[in-house]
Amino acid sequence: THGAAVGAAEGAAAVAAEGAAHVVSENGTAVALPGADCTRVRVVFATEMTSEPFSAFEFDGVLGLGLEALALDPEFSFMGQMTRLNTRMGSSFGVFVSVDDAVASEITFGGHDARRVAGELQWADVHRRELGYWQLQVRGIKIGGEPLELCSTGDCAAIADTGTSLLGVPKQAAQHIHWLLARTVESNPEEMDCRTEPGPDIVFDLGDFEVTLTAEDYSRPAGLRVITNATNETQFICRAQLLPVDEGPALGDKVWILGEPVLRKYYTAYDWAQGRIGFAPAAKLSPEELAAAGPATHR
């Protein structure tokens, strides 16, 4: 059934939409009436969209999996409805982000895919769940073994976000962090893939465990050639790919975003009922190895 019209805009992007109720079965198909294996969820259908940026997108829609506080209404929350109304499915989901196109990325509902992890999941509680984000408190951050002063008092936060392609860093510290992660290549090559050049690790202390990014994870592939005017000498510099983050007063000015660089390296599981996120090193299996491992095993 159709409901009220809704709209959203950010920058030059704008969408006009209508809300509606749908019933989804466990195999993902829409059905006319709910049954034992079905759950009623409200969805939003886009009726008008600006060509910029949506004409460049190849996906057919967006499945929002943020916590319930971000939903227009509790019935629009997919995981909220599944947790309340579907007793047959576990109240968690797992995300595997592939490093290349040879192996497809994957989301698993009702648990996590044991084939995709190379170790036990380690869990951290969601911080300030009322804001709606899969956000964690960061006890501290080290870069190259040295504590980052910005987070030395334990009041930084990090949001796990599959929709962010880079590592997001607080805008106020972005320039300093770029400087800490930059390195000069002594051989001064004409060109190289900077992901192969060693650099300082970034280590996030999440309480009972740490999440670590290496230069391979955060570096721009292409380097930068710098000419010193006084001597006319050149240097080849490898740099990080970082996204400056300014989330405003609600989230504060010390928020990091754990985007694809983290989510490619770590399999993540999101426990809706207990409000926690699990991290484990992602298993790098080829399509042949994945097939040999058998069907997905959910935990």
Side-chain angles (χ1 to χ4, degrees):
T1 56
H2 286 279
V6 295
E10 182 172 347
V15 176
E18 293 180 349
H22 266 241
V23 179
V24 180
S25 68
E26 284 191 0
N27 64 11
T29 58
V31 295
L33 295 172
D37 299 333
C38 301
T39 304
R40 182 179 295 274
V41 180
R42 295 189 67 86
V43 298
V44 175
F45 294 104
T47 56
E48 296 179 47
M49 294 186 292
T50 54
S51 58
E52 179 65 34
F54 298 105
S55 62
F57 296 156
E58 296 184 1
F59 54 77
D60 297 314
V62 176
L63 177 61
L65 294 173
L67 296 170
E68 211 159 58
L70 290 179
L72 291 171
D73 180 90
E75 288 192 3
F76 282 98
S77 170
F78 177 83
M79 282 300 298
Q81 288 292 89
M82 295 298 283
T83 300
R84 280 188 293 270
L85 304 178
N86 191 323
T87 58
R88 297 180 53 157
M89 191 184 84
S91 59
S92 64
F93 61 94
V95 174
F96 169 78
V97 179
S98 180
V99 297
D100 56 53
D101 293 336
V103 177
S105 297
E106 173 191 275
I107 184 167
T108 303
F109 292 101
H112 72 274
D113 187 348
R115 303 173 305 168
R116 300 292 193 179
V117 298
E120 291 296 318
L121 286 166
Q122 300 184 80
W123 297 90
D125 291 335
V126 170
H127 178 58
R128 300 182 68 190
R129 183 169 182 162
E130 71 276 7
L131 296 178
Y133 299 97
W134 289 103
Q135 177 176 258
L136 304 170
Q137 184 173 5
V138 179
R139 309 292 180 181
I141 294 176
K142 291 182 179 180
I143 297 180
E146 296 296 324
L148 187 65
E149 185 177 352
L150 177 72
C151 302
S152 60
T153 56
D155 57 348
C156 281
I159 297 172
D161 183 21
T162 59
T164 301
S165 58
L166 304 176
L167 175 67
V169 304
K171 186 176 181 180
Q172 60 171 310
Q175 185 174 357
H176 177 59
I177 295 169
H178 267 296
W179 181 81
L180 291 174
L181 298 174
R183 58 259 189 224
T184 301
V185 182
E186 292 184 4
S187 61
N188 197 20
E190 286 298 320
E191 59 181 51
M192 66 172 291
D193 186 340
C194 279
R195 292 171 295 189
T196 65
E197 177 67 16
D201 290 350
I202 309 173
V203 180
F204 296 85
D205 180 357
L206 299 182
D208 294 331
F209 64 97
E210 296 177 338
V211 165
T212 300
L213 292 181
T214 67
E216 181 182 5
D217 304 313
Y218 62 70
S219 292
R220 296 174 181 265
L224 176 69
R225 185 162 298 282
V226 177
I227 302 176
T228 304
N229 290 333
T231 62
N232 206 34
E233 294 180 344
T234 65
Q235 291 181 316
F236 192 89
I237 309 294
C238 285
R239 303 167 295 160
Q241 289 192 108
L242 303 175
L243 175 68
V245 175
D246 184 7
E247 291 291 348
L251 290 174
D253 59 358
K254 294 186 178 183
V255 174
W256 299 63
I257 297 181
L258 307 182
E260 287 187 20
V262 174
L263 302 181
R264 285 194 298 262
K265 186 168 186 176
Y266 291 90
Y267 186 99
T268 48
Y270 303 81
D271 188 331
W272 185 276
Q274 297 190 51
R276 58 182 188 163
I277 306 175
F279 292 79
K284 305 296 193 292
L285 300 179
S286 68
E288 294 75 21
E289 291 171 328
L290 193 63
T297 303
H298 296 79
R299 293 182 179 177

PDB file of all heavy atoms in Angstrom, residues 104-136:
ATOM      1  N   ALA A 104      33.221 -12.312  -5.872  1.00  0.00           N
ATOM      2  CA  ALA A 104      32.148 -11.359  -5.584  1.00  0.00           C
ATOM      3  C   ALA A 104      32.115 -11.003  -4.102  1.00  0.00           C
ATOM      4  O   ALA A 104      32.396 -11.844  -3.240  1.00  0.00           O
ATOM      5  CB  ALA A 104      30.807 -11.951  -6.006  1.00  0.00           C
ATOM      6  N   SER A 105      31.771  -9.759  -3.816  1.00  0.00           N
ATOM      7  CA  SER A 105      31.494  -9.368  -2.438  1.00  0.00           C
ATOM      8  C   SER A 105      30.192 -10.028  -2.002  1.00  0.00           C
ATOM      9  O   SER A 105      29.411 -10.505  -2.832  1.00  0.00           O
ATOM     10  CB  SER A 105      31.402  -7.848  -2.324  1.00  0.00           C
ATOM     11  OG  SER A 105      32.639  -7.238  -2.651  1.00  0.00           O
ATOM     12  N   GLU A 106      29.941 -10.034  -0.688  1.00  0.00           N
ATOM     13  CA  GLU A 106      28.816 -10.827  -0.188  1.00  0.00           C
ATOM     14  C   GLU A 106      28.280 -10.250   1.112  1.00  0.00           C
ATOM     15  O   GLU A 106      29.033  -9.746   1.935  1.00  0.00           O
ATOM     16  CB  GLU A 106      29.300 -12.268   0.055  1.00  0.00           C
ATOM     17  CG  GLU A 106      28.297 -13.194   0.727  1.00  0.00           C
ATOM     18  CD  GLU A 106      28.957 -14.490   1.162  1.00  0.00           C
ATOM     19  OE1 GLU A 106      29.059 -15.405   0.323  1.00  0.00           O
ATOM     20  OE2 GLU A 106      29.384 -14.586   2.336  1.00  0.00           O
ATOM     21  N   ILE A 107      26.955 -10.328   1.258  1.00  0.00           N
ATOM     22  CA  ILE A 107      26.324 -10.038   2.545  1.00  0.00           C
ATOM     23  C   ILE A 107      25.507 -11.254   2.938  1.00  0.00           C
ATOM     24  O   ILE A 107      24.840 -11.873   2.107  1.00  0.00           O
ATOM     25  CB  ILE A 107      25.465  -8.758   2.478  1.00  0.00           C
ATOM     26  CG1 ILE A 107      24.902  -8.430   3.864  1.00  0.00           C
ATOM     27  CG2 ILE A 107      24.342  -8.881   1.454  1.00  0.00           C
ATOM     28  CD1 ILE A 107      24.321  -7.029   3.945  1.00  0.00           C
ATOM     29  N   THR A 108      25.578 -11.631   4.201  1.00  0.00           N
ATOM     30  CA  THR A 108      24.921 -12.825   4.715  1.00  0.00           C
ATOM     31  C   THR A 108      23.984 -12.425   5.848  1.00  0.00           C
ATOM     32  O   THR A 108      24.419 -11.775   6.804  1.00  0.00           O
ATOM     33  CB  THR A 108      25.960 -13.837   5.248  1.00  0.00           C
ATOM     34  OG1 THR A 108      26.875 -14.169   4.211  1.00  0.00           O
ATOM     35  CG2 THR A 108      25.287 -15.101   5.745  1.00  0.00           C
ATOM     36  N   PHE A 109      22.703 -12.789   5.735  1.00  0.00           N
ATOM     37  CA  PHE A 109      21.732 -12.470   6.778  1.00  0.00           C
ATOM     38  C   PHE A 109      21.483 -13.685   7.651  1.00  0.00           C
ATOM     39  O   PHE A 109      21.455 -14.816   7.178  1.00  0.00           O
ATOM     40  CB  PHE A 109      20.422 -11.983   6.159  1.00  0.00           C
ATOM     41  CG  PHE A 109      20.543 -10.657   5.477  1.00  0.00           C
ATOM     42  CD1 PHE A 109      20.652 -10.573   4.100  1.00  0.00           C
ATOM     43  CD2 PHE A 109      20.565  -9.489   6.219  1.00  0.00           C
ATOM     44  CE1 PHE A 109      20.775  -9.346   3.472  1.00  0.00           C
ATOM     45  CE2 PHE A 109      20.691  -8.255   5.601  1.00  0.00           C
ATOM     46  CZ  PHE A 109      20.798  -8.183   4.223  1.00  0.00           C
ATOM     47  N   GLY A 110      21.292 -13.438   8.937  1.00  0.00           N
ATOM     48  CA  GLY A 110      21.030 -14.510   9.877  1.00  0.00           C
ATOM     49  C   GLY A 110      22.272 -15.057  10.544  1.00  0.00           C
ATOM     50  O   GLY A 110      22.207 -16.033  11.286  1.00  0.00           O
ATOM     51  N   GLY A 111      23.418 -14.453  10.302  1.00  0.00           N
ATOM     52  CA  GLY A 111      24.682 -14.908  10.860  1.00  0.00           C
ATOM     53  C   GLY A 111      25.823 -14.444   9.982  1.00  0.00           C
ATOM     54  O   GLY A 111      25.692 -13.458   9.251  1.00  0.00           O
ATOM     55  N   HIS A 112      26.950 -15.135  10.015  1.00  0.00           N
ATOM     56  CA  HIS A 112      28.065 -14.813   9.132  1.00  0.00           C
ATOM     57  C   HIS A 112      28.518 -16.072   8.421  1.00  0.00           C
ATOM     58  O   HIS A 112      28.267 -17.188   8.866  1.00  0.00           O
ATOM     59  CB  HIS A 112      29.222 -14.168   9.893  1.00  0.00           C
ATOM     60  CG  HIS A 112      29.970 -15.109  10.782  1.00  0.00           C
ATOM     61  ND1 HIS A 112      29.583 -15.403  12.089  1.00  0.00           N
ATOM     62  CD2 HIS A 112      31.107 -15.843  10.583  1.00  0.00           C
ATOM     63  CE1 HIS A 112      30.430 -16.248  12.625  1.00  0.00           C
ATOM     64  NE2 HIS A 112      31.369 -16.541  11.745  1.00  0.00           N
ATOM     65  N   ASP A 113      29.178 -15.900   7.287  1.00  0.00           N
ATOM     66  CA  ASP A 113      29.651 -17.015   6.463  1.00  0.00           C
ATOM     67  C   ASP A 113      31.023 -17.451   6.972  1.00  0.00           C
ATOM     68  O   ASP A 113      32.017 -16.740   6.814  1.00  0.00           O
ATOM     69  CB  ASP A 113      29.726 -16.564   5.005  1.00  0.00           C
ATOM     70  CG  ASP A 113      30.057 -17.706   4.045  1.00  0.00           C
ATOM     71  OD1 ASP A 113      30.454 -18.786   4.523  1.00  0.00           O
ATOM     72  OD2 ASP A 113      29.912 -17.517   2.827  1.00  0.00           O
ATOM     73  N   ALA A 114      31.074 -18.633   7.581  1.00  0.00           N
ATOM     74  CA  ALA A 114      32.316 -19.112   8.194  1.00  0.00           C
ATOM     75  C   ALA A 114      33.426 -19.327   7.174  1.00  0.00           C
ATOM     76  O   ALA A 114      34.607 -19.327   7.534  1.00  0.00           O
ATOM     77  CB  ALA A 114      32.044 -20.405   8.962  1.00  0.00           C
ATOM     78  N   ARG A 115      33.076 -19.487   5.882  1.00  0.00           N
ATOM     79  CA  ARG A 115      34.110 -19.676   4.863  1.00  0.00           C
ATOM     80  C   ARG A 115      34.915 -18.400   4.626  1.00  0.00           C
ATOM     81  O   ARG A 115      36.026 -18.443   4.098  1.00  0.00           O
ATOM     82  CB  ARG A 115      33.480 -20.108   3.541  1.00  0.00           C
ATOM     83  CG  ARG A 115      32.633 -21.366   3.591  1.00  0.00           C
ATOM     84  CD  ARG A 115      31.947 -21.575   2.250  1.00  0.00           C
ATOM     85  NE  ARG A 115      31.165 -20.403   1.869  1.00  0.00           N
ATOM     86  CZ  ARG A 115      30.642 -20.198   0.649  1.00  0.00           C
ATOM     87  NH1 ARG A 115      30.831 -21.091  -0.298  1.00  0.00           N
ATOM     88  NH2 ARG A 115      29.952 -19.109   0.394  1.00  0.00           N
ATOM     89  N   ARG A 116      34.340 -17.278   4.991  1.00  0.00           N
ATOM     90  CA  ARG A 116      34.934 -15.980   4.664  1.00  0.00           C
ATOM     91  C   ARG A 116      35.879 -15.446   5.734  1.00  0.00           C
ATOM     92  O   ARG A 116      36.478 -14.386   5.544  1.00  0.00           O
ATOM     93  CB  ARG A 116      33.823 -14.949   4.440  1.00  0.00           C
ATOM     94  CG  ARG A 116      32.857 -15.284   3.314  1.00  0.00           C
ATOM     95  CD  ARG A 116      33.520 -15.204   1.970  1.00  0.00           C
ATOM     96  NE  ARG A 116      32.543 -15.217   0.884  1.00  0.00           N
ATOM     97  CZ  ARG A 116      32.851 -15.143  -0.399  1.00  0.00           C
ATOM     98  NH1 ARG A 116      34.128 -15.053  -0.747  1.00  0.00           N
ATOM     99  NH2 ARG A 116      31.933 -15.166  -1.326  1.00  0.00           N
ATOM    100  N   VAL A 117      35.992 -16.131   6.870  1.00  0.00           N
ATOM    101  CA  VAL A 117      36.828 -15.617   7.946  1.00  0.00           C
ATOM    102  C   VAL A 117      38.054 -16.501   8.134  1.00  0.00           C
ATOM    103  O   VAL A 117      38.007 -17.706   7.933  1.00  0.00           O
ATOM    104  CB  VAL A 117      36.040 -15.498   9.266  1.00  0.00           C
ATOM    105  CG1 VAL A 117      34.899 -14.514   9.129  1.00  0.00           C
ATOM    106  CG2 VAL A 117      35.508 -16.853   9.720  1.00  0.00           C
ATOM    107  N   ALA A 118      39.154 -15.858   8.502  1.00  0.00           N
ATOM    108  CA  ALA A 118      40.411 -16.572   8.725  1.00  0.00           C
ATOM    109  C   ALA A 118      40.793 -16.543  10.196  1.00  0.00           C
ATOM    110  O   ALA A 118      41.970 -16.530  10.553  1.00  0.00           O
ATOM    111  CB  ALA A 118      41.522 -15.954   7.878  1.00  0.00           C
ATOM    112  N   GLY A 119      39.802 -16.515  11.063  1.00  0.00           N
ATOM    113  CA  GLY A 119      40.038 -16.486  12.502  1.00  0.00           C
ATOM    114  C   GLY A 119      38.729 -16.244  13.220  1.00  0.00           C
ATOM    115  O   GLY A 119      37.679 -16.067  12.589  1.00  0.00           O
ATOM    116  N   GLU A 120      38.776 -16.210  14.540  1.00  0.00           N
ATOM    117  CA  GLU A 120      37.575 -15.974  15.326  1.00  0.00           C
ATOM    118  C   GLU A 120      37.178 -14.497  15.285  1.00  0.00           C
ATOM    119  O   GLU A 120      38.040 -13.614  15.269  1.00  0.00           O
ATOM    120  CB  GLU A 120      37.799 -16.397  16.782  1.00  0.00           C
ATOM    121  CG  GLU A 120      37.938 -17.899  16.978  1.00  0.00           C
ATOM    122  CD  GLU A 120      36.666 -18.642  16.600  1.00  0.00           C
ATOM    123  OE1 GLU A 120      35.565 -18.157  16.941  1.00  0.00           O
ATOM    124  OE2 GLU A 120      36.775 -19.699  15.952  1.00  0.00           O
ATOM    125  N   LEU A 121      35.867 -14.248  15.263  1.00  0.00           N
ATOM    126  CA  LEU A 121      35.385 -12.878  15.346  1.00  0.00           C
ATOM    127  C   LEU A 121      35.672 -12.308  16.739  1.00  0.00           C
ATOM    128  O   LEU A 121      35.485 -12.988  17.752  1.00  0.00           O
ATOM    129  CB  LEU A 121      33.887 -12.824  15.079  1.00  0.00           C
ATOM    130  CG  LEU A 121      33.440 -13.018  13.626  1.00  0.00           C
ATOM    131  CD1 LEU A 121      31.947 -13.285  13.568  1.00  0.00           C
ATOM    132  CD2 LEU A 121      33.792 -11.798  12.781  1.00  0.00           C
ATOM    133  N   GLN A 122      36.136 -11.075  16.761  1.00  0.00           N
ATOM    134  CA  GLN A 122      36.334 -10.351  18.015  1.00  0.00           C
ATOM    135  C   GLN A 122      35.346  -9.187  18.032  1.00  0.00           C
ATOM    136  O   GLN A 122      35.220  -8.461  17.044  1.00  0.00           O
ATOM    137  CB  GLN A 122      37.775  -9.854  18.135  1.00  0.00           C
ATOM    138  CG  GLN A 122      38.790 -10.999  18.110  1.00  0.00           C
ATOM    139  CD  GLN A 122      40.199 -10.498  18.333  1.00  0.00           C
ATOM    140  OE1 GLN A 122      40.617 -10.239  19.462  1.00  0.00           O
ATOM    141  NE2 GLN A 122      40.945 -10.358  17.249  1.00  0.00           N
ATOM    142  N   TRP A 123      34.689  -8.986  19.166  1.00  0.00           N
ATOM    143  CA  TRP A 123      33.528  -8.105  19.212  1.00  0.00           C
ATOM    144  C   TRP A 123      33.799  -6.835  19.996  1.00  0.00           C
ATOM    145  O   TRP A 123      34.511  -6.846  20.995  1.00  0.00           O
ATOM    146  CB  TRP A 123      32.341  -8.841  19.830  1.00  0.00           C
ATOM    147  CG  TRP A 123      31.895 -10.026  19.036  1.00  0.00           C
ATOM    148  CD1 TRP A 123      32.327 -11.322  19.155  1.00  0.00           C
ATOM    149  CD2 TRP A 123      30.950 -10.027  17.966  1.00  0.00           C
ATOM    150  NE1 TRP A 123      31.696 -12.125  18.234  1.00  0.00           N
ATOM    151  CE2 TRP A 123      30.847 -11.369  17.493  1.00  0.00           C
ATOM    152  CE3 TRP A 123      30.167  -9.042  17.358  1.00  0.00           C
ATOM    153  CZ2 TRP A 123      29.993 -11.729  16.454  1.00  0.00           C
ATOM    154  CZ3 TRP A 123      29.320  -9.401  16.327  1.00  0.00           C
ATOM    155  CH2 TRP A 123      29.225 -10.721  15.882  1.00  0.00           C
ATOM    156  N   ALA A 124      33.175  -5.747  19.529  1.00  0.00           N
ATOM    157  CA  ALA A 124      33.200  -4.474  20.242  1.00  0.00           C
ATOM    158  C   ALA A 124      31.775  -3.919  20.263  1.00  0.00           C
ATOM    159  O   ALA A 124      31.047  -4.008  19.273  1.00  0.00           O
ATOM    160  CB  ALA A 124      34.142  -3.481  19.556  1.00  0.00           C
ATOM    161  N   ASP A 125      31.377  -3.351  21.387  1.00  0.00           N
ATOM    162  CA  ASP A 125      30.015  -2.837  21.537  1.00  0.00           C
ATOM    163  C   ASP A 125      29.813  -1.554  20.733  1.00  0.00           C
ATOM    164  O   ASP A 125      30.726  -0.719  20.612  1.00  0.00           O
ATOM    165  CB  ASP A 125      29.715  -2.546  23.010  1.00  0.00           C
ATOM    166  CG  ASP A 125      29.622  -3.816  23.848  1.00  0.00           C
ATOM    167  OD1 ASP A 125      29.316  -4.885  23.271  1.00  0.00           O
ATOM    168  OD2 ASP A 125      29.870  -3.730  25.070  1.00  0.00           O
ATOM    169  N   VAL A 126      28.593  -1.398  20.209  1.00  0.00           N
ATOM    170  CA  VAL A 126      28.227  -0.157  19.528  1.00  0.00           C
ATOM    171  C   VAL A 126      28.231   0.984  20.542  1.00  0.00           C
ATOM    172  O   VAL A 126      27.758   0.842  21.671  1.00  0.00           O
ATOM    173  CB  VAL A 126      26.840  -0.292  18.862  1.00  0.00           C
ATOM    174  CG1 VAL A 126      26.341   1.064  18.371  1.00  0.00           C
ATOM    175  CG2 VAL A 126      26.906  -1.278  17.703  1.00  0.00           C
ATOM    176  N   HIS A 127      28.778   2.105  20.135  1.00  0.00           N
ATOM    177  CA  HIS A 127      28.889   3.298  20.986  1.00  0.00           C
ATOM    178  C   HIS A 127      27.809   4.296  20.579  1.00  0.00           C
ATOM    179  O   HIS A 127      27.670   4.630  19.402  1.00  0.00           O
ATOM    180  CB  HIS A 127      30.289   3.910  20.807  1.00  0.00           C
ATOM    181  CG  HIS A 127      30.523   5.165  21.580  1.00  0.00           C
ATOM    182  ND1 HIS A 127      30.398   5.239  22.953  1.00  0.00           N
ATOM    183  CD2 HIS A 127      30.891   6.417  21.170  1.00  0.00           C
ATOM    184  CE1 HIS A 127      30.687   6.458  23.357  1.00  0.00           C
ATOM    185  NE2 HIS A 127      30.981   7.186  22.295  1.00  0.00           N
ATOM    186  N   ARG A 128      26.991   4.729  21.544  1.00  0.00           N
ATOM    187  CA  ARG A 128      25.918   5.705  21.320  1.00  0.00           C
ATOM    188  C   ARG A 128      24.951   5.203  20.239  1.00  0.00           C
ATOM    189  O   ARG A 128      24.733   5.839  19.216  1.00  0.00           O
ATOM    190  CB  ARG A 128      26.494   7.067  20.950  1.00  0.00           C
ATOM    191  CG  ARG A 128      27.407   7.660  22.010  1.00  0.00           C
ATOM    192  CD  ARG A 128      27.908   9.027  21.615  1.00  0.00           C
ATOM    193  NE  ARG A 128      26.807   9.991  21.602  1.00  0.00           N
ATOM    194  CZ  ARG A 128      26.916  11.237  21.101  1.00  0.00           C
ATOM    195  NH1 ARG A 128      28.060  11.625  20.578  1.00  0.00           N
ATOM    196  NH2 ARG A 128      25.890  12.047  21.123  1.00  0.00           N
ATOM    197  N   ARG A 129      24.339   4.075  20.533  1.00  0.00           N
ATOM    198  CA  ARG A 129      23.417   3.438  19.589  1.00  0.00           C
ATOM    199  C   ARG A 129      22.263   4.348  19.199  1.00  0.00           C
ATOM    200  O   ARG A 129      21.702   4.232  18.099  1.00  0.00           O
ATOM    201  CB  ARG A 129      22.889   2.135  20.213  1.00  0.00           C
ATOM    202  CG  ARG A 129      21.980   1.342  19.294  1.00  0.00           C
ATOM    203  CD  ARG A 129      21.699  -0.041  19.830  1.00  0.00           C
ATOM    204  NE  ARG A 129      20.866  -0.788  18.914  1.00  0.00           N
ATOM    205  CZ  ARG A 129      20.731  -2.107  18.926  1.00  0.00           C
ATOM    206  NH1 ARG A 129      21.394  -2.824  19.823  1.00  0.00           N
ATOM    207  NH2 ARG A 129      19.944  -2.716  18.070  1.00  0.00           N
ATOM    208  N   GLU A 130      21.893   5.267  20.074  1.00  0.00           N
ATOM    209  CA  GLU A 130      20.754   6.152  19.804  1.00  0.00           C
ATOM    210  C   GLU A 130      20.973   7.042  18.585  1.00  0.00           C
ATOM    211  O   GLU A 130      20.016   7.615  18.036  1.00  0.00           O
ATOM    212  CB  GLU A 130      20.452   7.021  21.036  1.00  0.00           C
ATOM    213  CG  GLU A 130      21.474   8.104  21.349  1.00  0.00           C
ATOM    214  CD  GLU A 130      22.671   7.599  22.162  1.00  0.00           C
ATOM    215  OE1 GLU A 130      22.780   6.375  22.374  1.00  0.00           O
ATOM    216  OE2 GLU A 130      23.503   8.441  22.568  1.00  0.00           O
ATOM    217  N   LEU A 131      22.219   7.173  18.115  1.00  0.00           N
ATOM    218  CA  LEU A 131      22.500   7.980  16.925  1.00  0.00           C
ATOM    219  C   LEU A 131      22.209   7.223  15.634  1.00  0.00           C
ATOM    220  O   LEU A 131      22.105   7.831  14.563  1.00  0.00           O
ATOM    221  CB  LEU A 131      23.958   8.447  16.940  1.00  0.00           C
ATOM    222  CG  LEU A 131      24.351   9.384  18.080  1.00  0.00           C
ATOM    223  CD1 LEU A 131      25.832   9.726  17.990  1.00  0.00           C
ATOM    224  CD2 LEU A 131      23.503  10.655  18.054  1.00  0.00           C
ATOM    225  N   GLY A 132      22.114   5.898  15.700  1.00  0.00           N
ATOM    226  CA  GLY A 132      21.734   5.119  14.527  1.00  0.00           C
ATOM    227  C   GLY A 132      22.879   4.548  13.717  1.00  0.00           C
ATOM    228  O   GLY A 132      22.626   3.852  12.728  1.00  0.00           O
ATOM    229  N   TYR A 133      24.119   4.824  14.100  1.00  0.00           N
ATOM    230  CA  TYR A 133      25.265   4.367  13.311  1.00  0.00           C
ATOM    231  C   TYR A 133      25.918   3.134  13.951  1.00  0.00           C
ATOM    232  O   TYR A 133      25.881   2.962  15.162  1.00  0.00           O
ATOM    233  CB  TYR A 133      26.317   5.475  13.200  1.00  0.00           C
ATOM    234  CG  TYR A 133      25.830   6.716  12.514  1.00  0.00           C
ATOM    235  CD1 TYR A 133      25.377   7.815  13.246  1.00  0.00           C
ATOM    236  CD2 TYR A 133      25.797   6.796  11.120  1.00  0.00           C
ATOM    237  CE1 TYR A 133      24.915   8.961  12.613  1.00  0.00           C
ATOM    238  CE2 TYR A 133      25.334   7.941  10.483  1.00  0.00           C
ATOM    239  CZ  TYR A 133      24.892   9.010  11.244  1.00  0.00           C
ATOM    240  OH  TYR A 133      24.426  10.132  10.617  1.00  0.00           O
ATOM    241  N   TRP A 134      26.536   2.320  13.103  1.00  0.00           N
ATOM    242  CA  TRP A 134      27.362   1.222  13.600  1.00  0.00           C
ATOM    243  C   TRP A 134      28.701   1.843  14.014  1.00  0.00           C
ATOM    244  O   TRP A 134      29.692   1.770  13.313  1.00  0.00           O
ATOM    245  CB  TRP A 134      27.532   0.144  12.536  1.00  0.00           C
ATOM    246  CG  TRP A 134      26.285  -0.637  12.278  1.00  0.00           C
ATOM    247  CD1 TRP A 134      25.434  -0.497  11.225  1.00  0.00           C
ATOM    248  CD2 TRP A 134      25.755  -1.698  13.081  1.00  0.00           C
ATOM    249  NE1 TRP A 134      24.399  -1.394  11.322  1.00  0.00           N
ATOM    250  CE2 TRP A 134      24.574  -2.157  12.460  1.00  0.00           C
ATOM    251  CE3 TRP A 134      26.164  -2.313  14.272  1.00  0.00           C
ATOM    252  CZ2 TRP A 134      23.793  -3.187  12.982  1.00  0.00           C
ATOM    253  CZ3 TRP A 134      25.386  -3.328  14.791  1.00  0.00           C
ATOM    254  CH2 TRP A 134      24.234  -3.761  14.154  1.00  0.00           C
ATOM    255  N   GLN A 135      28.678   2.460  15.173  1.00  0.00           N
ATOM    256  CA  GLN A 135      29.789   3.281  15.645  1.00  0.00           C
ATOM    257  C   GLN A 135      30.449   2.637  16.863  1.00  0.00           C
ATOM    258  O   GLN A 135      29.777   2.078  17.729  1.00  0.00           O
ATOM    259  CB  GLN A 135      29.260   4.672  16.022  1.00  0.00           C
ATOM    260  CG  GLN A 135      30.292   5.616  16.592  1.00  0.00           C
ATOM    261  CD  GLN A 135      29.717   6.994  16.858  1.00  0.00           C
ATOM    262  OE1 GLN A 135      29.923   7.920  16.096  1.00  0.00           O
ATOM    263  NE2 GLN A 135      28.986   7.144  17.954  1.00  0.00           N
ATOM    264  N   LEU A 136      31.764   2.729  16.908  1.00  0.00           N
ATOM    265  CA  LEU A 136      32.550   2.153  17.994  1.00  0.00           C
ATOM    266  C   LEU A 136      33.362   3.230  18.695  1.00  0.00           C
ATOM    267  O   LEU A 136      33.790   4.205  18.072  1.00  0.00           O
ATOM    268  CB  LEU A 136      33.509   1.089  17.447  1.00  0.00           C
ATOM    269  CG  LEU A 136      32.882  -0.058  16.651  1.00  0.00           C
ATOM    270  CD1 LEU A 136      33.979  -0.882  15.988  1.00  0.00           C
ATOM    271  CD2 LEU A 136      32.026  -0.924  17.557  1.00  0.00           C
TER     272      LEU A 136
END
